[in-house]
Amino acid sequence: MPFANMLLEDPAIPAIERQQALDRIFADPGIPQNTTTSSFWLKDPHASFATRSSKPLPAEADVVIIGSGITGASIARTLLENGIKSNSSREVPSVIMVEARDICSGATGRNGGHILETADEYSELADEHGEEVAKKTLRFRLAHLNEMLNVCEDLGLTEHVQARKVQFLSAFFGEEAWKDALERLSRFKAGMPEEAAEWIAYDRKSMPEDFKLSRAHGVIAGPAGALWPYKFVTSLLAHLLSKHPGQFRVEDQTAVTSISETPSSTYKYRVETSRGVTSARHVIHCTNAHVTHLVPGLRGRIFPLRGQMSAQTPGSNFPCQAAKHSWMFSYDRGFDYLTQLPSGQMMFGGGFARSEGGGIADLGVATDNEMSLYCDIHLSGALPVVFGRQNWGEIDGDPVQAMWTGNMAFSADGFPWVGQLPSSVTERPGSTSAETGSEWVSAAFGGEGMVQAWLCGKALATMLLKRDNRLSPAVDGDISWLPAQMLVTEDRISKSVLSRTVPSSQRASL
């Protein structure tokens, strides 16, 4: 069952709290505000983006990308690298990326930097959608590890962004949870033996001592990766700016306030921003938790959820495992995730189920300027307990270097939304003619953007280039690897939406 549905249908949560969450979900999430919590990842701004944009906005562009996270970076790279000459004799589409705040200060600049697919969802996907959909979805997610590490290698960014392949250790602290995990692993190995070859299960007796997880009932290990997400995106954008001068612009502190259509057959959209107006042929929405501000018809289909992250100092007895391991901790309710930087810092996030109302209070929240007290308490104290105080050791001073929040976007059916937007959701006339432009979306990664966003963006940009007959002949335009369940369709729009109200049978407490 999709994550939000579980919370919204949980009878243990008062109906009034569930209704309040639904009211937030169907409300306008607004524009990202500059008042926010301070992410550790953003402490050293990239030189190319350390000062705010000051030049006037270009009057027109082939493509305006709204959002400067990993999705927008993937789309920009694909458009600029894979396009062919247009009718105006430009070598590639002219692309402008606009960001309401500082570059990469949204979800990508606030996540855990964890390239992780545990394959836990294989069984659920197979039961609900069939084995083939489950296999295709898992292959899509698993492909991100090598894809992103290869991008770093190709651009010479591996060391700078601290990109590395590691072994994830998914630890389970309850007997029933461990049994369920073994059943899910068994199904994954049976259904996808080649992909599952690196997955290993360790019970308490067989668990290596250097895992330092003796309190866990068991651990499932498999391939994963980690990197510094802000450095990855900003370094990639800087590379594109250098390689495609005049064809690519990145504009920070440029919030899009409205989109309207014009009579022009060339530049169909009037994009109004806090710094002026740009006319565009295509508009691509990569604003994830804020996407329904400009695409109101997706409310109830895509919705925000606030999460919490921290940067912490490890205990004196804990060895640096940055190049070796990353972690997931599953409890009787909820989970946490952890990576370690080569410098030693522990990047620890989660605690969602420990927040107000068991998480319901963060559902539908699109701001990142406040933190959950209960998440703070949990994240601040969990690591010595999970690893064991003897294994952890002492810390001089406050172990928490930084604590911040960020916004994820979830969908009612549990899949990202990727593709061309019809007028039924933009609430603008729209057009499907190849002679005019369109609006597009790539969003709602369900808190797993590092194993979904990059290839969703690549697929969307390829769709756009193919639609405009501008995909380079040297480029393989096959995107059959993208699961069909992620595509924008009218049928999905009509079916994949949450109920606006809590069922009347459960509303006695409202």
Side-chain angles (χ1 to χ4, degrees):
M1 179 184 292
F3 171 79
N5 300 61
M6 294 175 62
L7 280 178
L8 293 169
E9 296 177 15
D10 187 348
I13 300 174
I16 189 169
E17 295 181 17
R18 287 182 276 151
Q19 185 59 56
Q20 289 169 347
L22 282 168
D23 292 342
R24 292 191 296 269
I25 284 170
F26 279 87
D28 183 348
I31 295 169
Q33 301 299 305
N34 277 314
T35 302
T36 182
T37 52
S38 298
S39 167
F40 176 91
W41 300 118
L42 306 177
K43 64 188 183 72
D44 296 316
H46 191 288
S48 298
F49 309 109
T51 57
R52 295 181 177 179
S53 302
S54 58
K55 295 180 180 179
L57 284 179
E60 57 194 35
D62 281 356
V63 180
V64 169
I65 300 172
I66 309 174
S68 65
I70 194 168
T71 310
S74 175
I75 291 170
R77 182 175 189 253
T78 305
L79 291 175
L80 292 163
E81 303 281 277
N82 294 354
I84 61 174
K85 290 184 179 181
S86 66
N87 293 332
S88 60
S89 298
R90 289 178 293 191
E91 293 184 356
V92 292
S94 177
V95 179
I96 300 175
M97 176 180 286
V98 295
E99 171 59 53
R101 303 191 296 201
D102 293 336
I103 298 304
C104 197
S105 61
T108 301
R110 296 172 175 275
N111 71 23
H114 208 178
I115 310 171
L116 173 67
E117 174 53 58
T118 65
D120 276 353
E121 292 181 297
Y122 176 83
S123 298
E124 185 177 340
L125 286 166
D127 290 343
E128 185 171 351
H129 301 283
E131 294 284 345
E132 291 308 309
V133 170
K135 291 176 183 179
K136 189 169 185 176
T137 302
L138 265 292
R139 288 190 183 110
F140 170 80
R141 295 179 184 177
L142 291 169
H144 280 75
L145 177 57
N146 287 335
E147 178 83 13
M148 295 181 68
L149 293 180
N150 287 340
V151 170
C152 293
E153 185 69 25
D154 291 345
L155 298 180
L157 297 175
T158 300
E159 184 175 354
H160 175 64
V161 307
Q162 300 176 13
R164 56 208 184 271
K165 182 177 179 180
V166 296
Q167 180 187 50
F168 77 79
L169 304 178
S170 186
F172 296 84
F173 292 91
E175 186 174 354
E176 289 303 315
W178 175 235
K179 289 180 180 179
D180 291 344
L182 288 175
E183 290 180 8
R184 291 193 299 270
L185 178 62
S186 177
R187 286 192 63 179
F188 173 51
K189 281 186 166 289
M192 304 181 69
E194 182 177 346
E195 291 82 357
E198 292 185 63
W199 268 252
I200 306 170
Y202 298 93
D203 60 21
R204 215 170 233 170
K205 295 179 180 179
S206 64
M207 198 184 305
E209 185 179 344
D210 67 354
F211 283 7
K212 309 297 183 184
L213 291 167
S214 60
R215 302 189 71 174
H217 277 76
V219 169
I220 291 175
L227 51 72
W228 194 301
Y230 172 83
K231 288 183 178 180
F232 172 74
V233 168
T234 53
S235 297
L236 173 58
L237 294 179
H239 167 79
L240 294 174
L241 286 168
S242 175
K243 186 175 180 180
H244 302 280
Q247 298 301 308
F248 185 43
R249 288 275 295 272
V250 178
E251 305 287 340
D252 64 357
Q253 300 297 320
T254 308
V256 177
T257 55
S258 69
I259 300 170
S260 57
E261 295 195 10
T262 73
S264 171
S265 60
T266 304
Y267 298 106
K268 181 178 178 180
Y269 296 103
R270 174 184 169 88
V271 181
E272 296 193 35
T273 81
S274 57
R275 294 180 52 237
V277 177
T278 292
S279 297
R281 190 162 186 270
H282 295 284
V283 177
I284 306 177
H285 298 269
C286 303
T287 50
N288 216 30
H290 293 269
V291 71
T292 62
H293 173 63
L294 295 169
V295 190
L298 287 179
R299 291 174 194 168
R301 296 163 177 85
I302 297 176
F303 48 88
L305 183 142
R306 182 174 57 191
Q308 197 148 316
M309 268 290 298
S310 68
Q312 302 192 29
T313 301
S316 56
N317 294 341
F318 193 81
C320 185
Q321 301 185 45
K324 190 174 182 180
H325 291 138
S326 66
W327 299 266
M328 286 276 293
F329 307 127
S330 296
Y331 315 112
D332 61 336
R333 186 177 176 89
F335 63 91
D336 299 328
Y337 45 93
L338 173 70
T339 62
Q340 188 172 25
L341 302 185
S343 55
Q345 289 97 337
M346 311 297 282
M347 309 305 292
F348 186 42
F352 178 78
R354 268 55 178 176
S355 66
E356 291 81 348
I360 197 75
D362 288 314
L363 188 56
V365 176
T367 56
D368 51 20
N369 61 341
E370 295 180 340
M371 290 184 286
S372 160
L373 171 65
Y374 298 119
C375 279
D376 196 334
I377 292 171
H378 171 79
L379 293 175
S380 297
L383 290 177
V385 179
V386 166
F387 288 110
R389 289 181 174 83
Q390 288 185 335
N391 293 327
W392 193 246
E394 301 296 326
I395 296 174
D396 291 331
D398 188 350
V400 179
Q401 300 175 36
M403 185 81 70
W404 65 93
T405 52
N407 301 119
M408 301 167 278
F410 284 69
S411 66
D413 61 7
F415 289 99
W417 286 74
V418 183
Q420 185 176 339
L421 290 169
S423 58
S424 59
V425 292
T426 65
E427 300 182 5
R428 292 175 278 275
S431 173
T432 57
S433 169
E435 300 302 316
T436 61
S438 295
E439 290 185 68
W440 307 76
V441 70
S442 184
F445 307 115
E448 299 179 315
M450 296 296 280
V451 291
Q452 301 209 82
W454 182 266
L455 287 177
C456 282
K458 185 176 181 179
L460 184 142
T462 303
M463 292 180 205
L464 189 155
L465 290 170
K466 289 172 71 173
R467 179 183 180 276
D468 283 359
N469 295 316
R470 291 166 70 177
L471 185 69
S472 169
V475 174
D476 181 3
D478 178 24
I479 57 169
S480 60
W481 40 261
L482 182 76
Q485 288 73 21
M486 298 182 182
L487 295 172
V488 178
T489 66
E490 290 286 7
D491 183 60
R492 185 182 178 194
I493 290 166
S494 66
K495 293 178 180 178
S496 300
V497 60
L498 297 174
S499 172
R500 183 65 182 79
T501 59
V502 172
S504 57
S505 61
Q506 302 176 28
R507 298 176 65 189
S509 60
L510 288 178

